């Protein structure tokens, strides 16, 4: 722990390996601090590849026992975990706001999304349907069933530090996989809380193992460990491509949930009040740090001036502050200094390409804000679809307004980035709405709502560089975390040759 600030009241967070909460073998640590105030929240043990190895081995040892535990019993543990989350929702939300900055109402939503996913997957304990289909030969039975893969490595981001881990852990566990969980090093506390809950709910030791530390040190070791069968990753497209390459060489299943450059289309017949609410919420909620955040507004020529004026006025009114201050804060900090610098760099990049800052545009340093990582809610105008600010993921409270002249043009612009996660249209024309639903090349499409707020019972994920073809949540998640096994039983007592009998 040499060199770290000391704070005797701060927590110390440990790995959970084979059911035991232990420090990493290297005896090193890192700091977990509040992005709104800079205060130290906890120190966390800093793992290395030896800890990864131990975690994977523990998960492997537990795999058979867990696979053979009846799925309804696995589901019951998840139900109990969901109950614990519900009971602790408020304290978990407060810890989340301190740890990663999102405003309290949104932190409650993050926990609720985790609860929803946990209950949803608990129900899968008694479903996990397979098929029983007619065989083409007499006295023969044909059926399919889901099998766990074995050991799942779940590598999760800081922006939904509770919900996203549940998207991975819950389907993995209910389907009978064991897990090594490597959360983002910005949010180790939420990860520890989730693992505590699952252990308390009755998960046997070794079924879920937690390894804290930076992905740069642990990621490759985890992905390439021969004991890991499946890697599920949420994060940047660059890291996803790297993990996909590494896992692909080893013929592992790799499920990636990556970046977005989501757009809200506003047609000339839209309800502008409704559209503005959706834009402000989707662009500046979670300080723009959702992979579903609206980063482009594509507005019809007839209403663009009016919409922009009103959006600018709304953006300027948003109050920055710590997320725990429910009365006075609309928008919290971004996660870190480097994130703040990256977000802010896009203001200059936009201006150099000809965009104009119509609202915000600055790092906020007034009074107490100087202690945290605050960026003003920013609206860029005069943006053309091919500019970097309209193409690259910014992951902060910055939105670009682009003018278009028809639905066809708007759809072209929506589809013009390398990403394909979410988009939305505001219109009162049912035909336009259906054309948009059909032609938008994204995994999520909203009509008369913003780009954020997916519910867990439908597939979540995107096309193109947003992912590698998998989906989280909903029934689709079951396909990521299980293998199909097709079983034929011949009870004829003689050799029957498929495709060759008369
Ligand atoms: C993410 O930002 O990675 O649809 C997930 C939403 C949330 C999930 C976002 N339910 O905005």
């Amino acid at each position: 722990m040499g060199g770290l600030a000391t704070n005797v009241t701060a927590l110390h967070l440990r790995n959970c390996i084979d059911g035991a909460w232990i420090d990493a073998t290297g005896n090193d640590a890192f700091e977990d601090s509040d992005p709104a105030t800079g205060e130290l929240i906890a120190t966390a043990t800093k793992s290395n590849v030896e800890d990864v190895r131990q975690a994977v081995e523990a998960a492997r040892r537990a795999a058979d026992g867990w696979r053979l535990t009846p799925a309804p019993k696995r589901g019951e543990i998840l139900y109990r975990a969901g109950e614990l989350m519900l009971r602790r929702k408020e304290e978990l939300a407060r810890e989340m706001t301190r740890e990663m900055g999102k405003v309290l109402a949104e932190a409650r939503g993050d926990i609720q999304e985790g609860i929803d996913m946990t209950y949803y997957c608990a129900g899968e304990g008694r479903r996990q349907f397979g098929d029983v289909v007619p065989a083409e030969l007499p006295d023969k039975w044909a059926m399919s069933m889901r099998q766990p893969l074995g050991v799942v490595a779940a590598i999760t981001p800081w922006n939904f530090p509770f919900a996203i881990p549940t998207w991975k852990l819950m389907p993995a566990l209910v389907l009978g996989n064991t897990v090594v969980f490597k959360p983002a090093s910005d949010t180790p506390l939420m990860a520890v809380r989730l693992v505590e809950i699952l252990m308390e709910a009755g998960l046997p030791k070794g079924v879920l193992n937690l390894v804290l530390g930076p992905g740069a040190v642990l990621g490759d070791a985890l992905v390439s460990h021969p004991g890991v069968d499946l890697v599920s990753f949420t994060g940047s497209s660059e890291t996803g491509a790297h993990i996909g390459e590494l896992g692909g060489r080893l013929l592992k299943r790799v499920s990636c949930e990556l970046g977005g450059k989501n757009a809200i289309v506003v047609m000339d017949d839209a309800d502008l009040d409704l559209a503005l609410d959706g834009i402000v919420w989707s662009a500046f909620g979670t300080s723009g740090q959702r992979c579903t955040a609206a980063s482009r507004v594509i507005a019809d020529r007839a209403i663009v001036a009016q919409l922009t004026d009103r959006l600018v006025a709304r953006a300027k009114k948003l109050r920055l502050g710590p997320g725990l201050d429910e009365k006075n804060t609309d928008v919290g900090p971004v996660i870190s200094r480097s994130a703040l610098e990256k977000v802010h760099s896009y203001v200059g990049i936009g201006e150099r390409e000809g965009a104009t800052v119509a609202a915000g545009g600055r790092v906020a340093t007034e009074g107490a804000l100087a202690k945290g990582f605050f960026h003003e809610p920013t609206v860029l105008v005069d943006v053309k679809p091919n500019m970097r600010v309209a193409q690259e993921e910014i992951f902060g409270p910055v939105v670009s307004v682009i003018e278009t002249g028809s639905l066809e043009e708007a759809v072209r612009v929506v589809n013009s980035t390398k990403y394909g996660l979410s988009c939305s249209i505001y219109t009162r024309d049912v035909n336009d709405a259906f054309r948009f639903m059909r032609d938008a090349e994204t995994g999520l499409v909203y009509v008369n709502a913003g780009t954020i707020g997916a519910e867990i019972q439908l597939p979540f994920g995107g096309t193109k560089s947003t992912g590698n073809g998998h989906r989280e949540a909903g029934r689709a998640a079951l396909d990521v975390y299980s293998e199909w096994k097709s079983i034929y039983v011949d009870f004829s007592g003689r050799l029957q040759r498929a495709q060759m009998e008369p």
Side-chain angles (χ1 to χ4, degrees):
M1 300 211 11
L4 291 178
T6 49
N7 175 348
V8 284
T9 61
L11 291 163
H12 181 63
L13 308 172
R14 295 188 169 85
N15 289 340
C16 182
I17 295 179
D18 214 4
W21 293 95
I22 52 172
D23 271 318
T25 49
N27 219 14
D28 205 355
F30 62 98
E31 293 187 345
D32 182 16
S33 46
D34 181 339
T37 62
E39 280 166 28
L40 184 69
I41 296 171
T43 55
T45 197
K46 191 171 178 183
S47 310
N48 58 39
V49 293
E50 171 57 19
D51 304 296
V52 167
R53 197 182 58 74
Q54 290 183 10
V56 175
E57 281 174 9
R60 277 246 83 86
R61 282 195 301 275
D64 260 346
W66 187 239
R67 170 176 73 85
L68 298 172
T69 302
K73 294 277 171 239
R74 299 196 294 252
E76 282 167 22
I77 294 174
L78 267 54
Y79 275 123
R80 280 201 291 278
E83 299 293 302
L84 292 170
M85 291 172 194
L86 199 54
R87 219 175 300 149
R88 292 179 199 164
K89 181 172 170 181
E90 189 58 25
E91 57 191 88
L92 289 168
R94 285 181 177 276
E95 284 188 331
M96 181 187 298
T97 293
R98 274 201 81 203
E99 188 176 42
M100 70 68 67
K102 67 172 71 175
V103 298
L104 199 48
E106 291 190 42
R108 292 188 189 109
D110 190 324
I111 303 296
Q112 187 58 49
E113 192 161 348
I115 295 168
D116 295 344
M117 183 56 99
T118 302
Y119 282 148
Y120 182 82
C121 286
E124 283 303 326
R126 289 183 189 271
R127 282 191 296 267
Q128 306 187 18
F129 300 127
D131 291 326
V132 180
V133 294
E136 64 187 43
L137 294 166
D139 299 328
K140 189 179 173 193
W141 199 310
M143 59 192 172
S144 65
M145 62 188 297
R146 293 185 186 275
Q147 297 280 293
L149 278 96
V151 174
V152 170
I155 307 176
T156 60
W158 48 264
N159 70 329
F160 275 79
F162 197 81
I164 291 181
T166 68
W167 294 5
K168 301 183 189 306
L169 268 44
M170 300 310 167
L173 292 170
V174 81
L175 285 157
N177 302 281
T178 58
V179 178
V180 177
F181 173 26
K182 207 304 281 174
S185 38
D186 287 310
T187 49
L189 177 57
M190 277 297 104
V192 163
R193 294 296 185 234
L194 177 57
V195 174
E196 282 172 352
I197 284 171
L198 279 158
M199 300 305 286
E200 207 175 316
L203 214 55
K205 70 187 178 84
V207 169
L208 172 60
N209 304 277
L210 174 69
V211 187
L212 301 174
V217 176
L218 308 178
D220 283 13
L222 192 51
V223 174
S224 53
H225 193 295
V228 168
D229 302 287
L230 157 67
V231 182
S232 177
F233 169 74
T234 298
S236 74
S237 293
E238 292 67 33
T239 307
H242 171 73
I243 290 176
E245 187 180 340
L246 206 57
R249 284 176 196 279
L250 299 166
L251 298 177
K252 295 188 184 195
R253 186 178 296 183
V254 177
S255 167
C256 287
E257 202 52 65
L258 310 171
K261 189 68 189 176
N262 315 295
I264 294 181
V265 172
V266 185
M267 299 300 290
D268 58 359
D269 65 343
D271 176 338
L272 290 192
D273 294 326
L274 191 65
L276 276 161
D277 285 346
I279 294 167
V280 171
W281 171 227
S282 302
F284 303 128
T286 329
S287 307
Q289 301 173 110
R290 296 193 188 210
C291 53
T292 49
S295 177
R296 298 179 293 160
V297 171
I298 299 170
D300 193 85
R301 198 166 292 141
I303 48 87
V304 68
Q306 192 195 351
L307 184 78
T308 306
D309 285 353
R310 295 179 63 190
L311 174 59
V312 165
R314 291 275 299 262
K316 283 182 176 164
K317 276 213 204 92
L318 295 171
R319 298 160 304 167
L320 289 167
L324 285 177
D325 186 356
E326 281 192 279
K327 283 210 183 76
N328 300 304
T329 297
D330 299 308
V331 177
V334 297
I335 188 70
S336 63
R337 176 149 321 273
S338 61
L340 184 61
E341 283 165 7
K342 183 191 159 197
V343 169
H344 188 61
S345 75
Y346 274 98
V347 175
I349 290 170
E351 284 181 317
R352 281 193 291 282
E353 285 191 305
T356 309
V357 177
R362 296 183 317 125
V363 170
T365 51
E366 298 81 39
L369 296 182
K371 290 198 215 136
F373 311 122
F374 291 92
H375 197 279
E376 291 178 349
T378 298
V379 179
L380 300 177
V381 298
D382 304 324
V383 175
K384 300 284 172 273
N386 57 353
M387 288 182 183
R388 284 183 62 192
V389 286
Q391 289 289 328
E392 297 175 17
E393 185 174 50
I394 298 175
F395 225 65
V398 179
V399 68
S400 293
V401 181
I402 301 169
E403 183 182 323
T404 49
S406 65
L407 177 69
E408 289 66 32
E409 190 187 351
V411 168
R412 261 201 314 280
V413 174
V414 166
N415 292 340
S416 71
T417 77
K418 68 174 184 172
Y419 298 109
L421 183 55
S422 182
C423 68
S424 92
I425 187 167
Y426 283 87
T427 181
R428 290 185 171 107
D429 183 321
V430 69
N431 295 343
D432 278 354
F434 270 86
R435 285 191 192 101
F436 187 80
M437 288 188 263
R438 182 192 62 194
D439 295 337
E441 294 170 354
T442 53
L444 308 168
V445 178
Y446 291 86
V447 177
N448 291 328
T451 53
I452 66 178
E455 302 178 23
I456 60 87
Q457 64 275 27
L458 279 182
F460 182 97
T463 63
K464 303 190 279 186
S465 295
T466 292
N468 61 346
H470 295 286
R471 289 291 182 273
E472 303 213 82
R475 273 193 293 155
L478 303 181
D479 289 330
V480 171
Y481 296 95
S482 62
E483 295 273 20
W484 280 112
K485 184 180 278 181
S486 297
I487 301 175
Y488 301 94
V489 182
D490 189 321
F491 51 98
S492 70
R494 60 199 166 84
L495 174 68
Q496 300 200 87
R497 294 173 299 178
Q499 294 90 35
M500 292 169 65
E501 299 291 327

